[in-house]
Amino acid sequence: MSIEQALVERSNNQCELCTATENLSVYEVPPVTEAHSDKCIYTCQTCKEQVEATTDIIPTHWHCLNDSMWSQTPAVQVVAYRMLTRLAADNGWAQDALDMIYLEEDTLAWAKKVLAENDDIKHVDSNGVVLQAGDTVTLIKDLDVKGSSLTAKRGTAVRNIGLTSNPEHIEGRVDGQRIVILTKFVKK
C-alpha cells in the first residue's frame, strides 16, 4: 500500500487538520529521514500552504486545531502543536489550546525539533540589527501593500512584530491590517 493510500484510509479521505475534502495531498512532517505514512499527514491545500509558510496565516482557519490536536496520530499532533505555537503570540485561544495539548515525550521532542531549528533563523533590519518577536520597527520607505489599496508610509511604526520562517520577512499591523514586510525596508 502506498503512503497516500494509507493516509486516505487513516483520514477517511479528508484533511487531518481541518476535515476539508478537496485538494488533498500528502505532507511530510519535518524532519523527514525516510518516507513513511507515520511521518506524514493528509492535508488540504489551504492548511499545507500555511503550515509551510508559503502564504499568510489565517488565524480563524486554525480554530480546527481545537479538535485535531486530540488526534491519536503523532504526525497530526506535531503539526497541531507547531501551528498553535506560531499562533499563540497573537491569539489567546491558541495559547489556551497549547496549554491543554498533551504529547508523549518523543512526540513533543519531534514537534520542538523544527521549532528549535527555526530559532536559529536570524531576522535583521536594514542596518543589520537582529529583530526579535514583539519588537517595534519603523518603515524606511513607502510600501504598497499587495492585494490592498493601502500604502504603508515611511516612518510608520510597526509594533509587536512577528517573525516568519523566512529570515527576509516579518509580520506586523499597519492601519489595522496584518501584512508581511521585507526586513530590508525596516529599522529597529
Side-chain angles (χ1 to χ4, degrees):
M1 182 181 313
S2 75
I3 291 174
E4 186 166 7
Q5 289 171 329
L7 294 177
V8 166
E9 188 174 309
R10 180 178 82 196
S11 70
N12 199 23
N13 203 27
Q14 60 186 6
C15 176
E16 293 184 274
L17 298 172
C18 73
T19 68
T21 56
E22 295 184 12
N23 298 321
L24 301 173
S25 63
V26 175
Y27 172 69
E28 292 182 332
V29 182
V32 179
T33 52
E34 63 179 80
H36 192 280
S37 62
D38 290 344
K39 301 289 185 183
C40 301
I41 63 171
Y42 206 44
T43 184
C44 68
Q45 191 67 28
T46 302
C47 288
K48 188 174 186 177
E49 288 174 351
Q50 292 182 52
V51 166
E52 293 176 333
T54 58
T55 62
D56 294 338
I57 293 178
I58 303 167
T60 54
H61 173 79
W62 293 102
H63 285 280
C64 61
L65 294 177
N66 286 319
D67 293 326
S68 57
M69 71 182 205
W70 301 112
S71 170
Q72 296 299 309
T73 305
V76 176
Q77 294 172 345
V78 166
V79 174
Y81 180 88
R82 289 176 182 169
M83 288 307 298
L84 288 170
T85 301
R86 287 172 56 191
L87 291 161
D90 296 329
N91 300 281
W93 66 267
Q95 184 60 56
D96 292 344
L98 197 56
D99 292 341
M100 288 189 299
I101 196 170
Y102 173 78
L103 303 178
E104 294 290 334
E105 199 171 305
D106 57 334
T107 305
L108 183 59
W110 177 17
K112 287 184 173 182
K113 182 169 182 140
V114 170
L115 294 175
E117 290 170 2
N118 287 344
D119 287 345
D120 294 339
I121 296 172
K122 299 291 183 223
H123 292 73
V124 295
D125 71 1
S126 60
N127 298 321
V129 177
V130 175
L131 301 172
Q132 303 290 326
D135 282 348
T136 298
V137 296
T138 305
L139 300 179
I140 61 170
K141 76 176 259 184
D142 290 353
L143 301 173
D144 292 326
V145 178
K146 290 183 181 178
S148 165
S149 61
L150 174 70
T151 298
K153 298 291 186 190
R154 177 181 176 193
T156 301
V158 181
R159 292 172 175 69
N160 196 23
I161 64 167
L163 304 181
T164 67
S165 58
N166 183 337
E168 297 175 359
H169 295 164
I170 59 170
E171 293 181 346
R173 287 201 182 279
V174 174
D175 291 338
Q177 186 173 349
R178 188 132 183 107
I179 63 171
V180 175
I181 306 167
L182 294 175
T183 57
K184 66 183 178 183
F185 297 132
V186 301
K187 68 178 181 178
K188 189 168 176 180

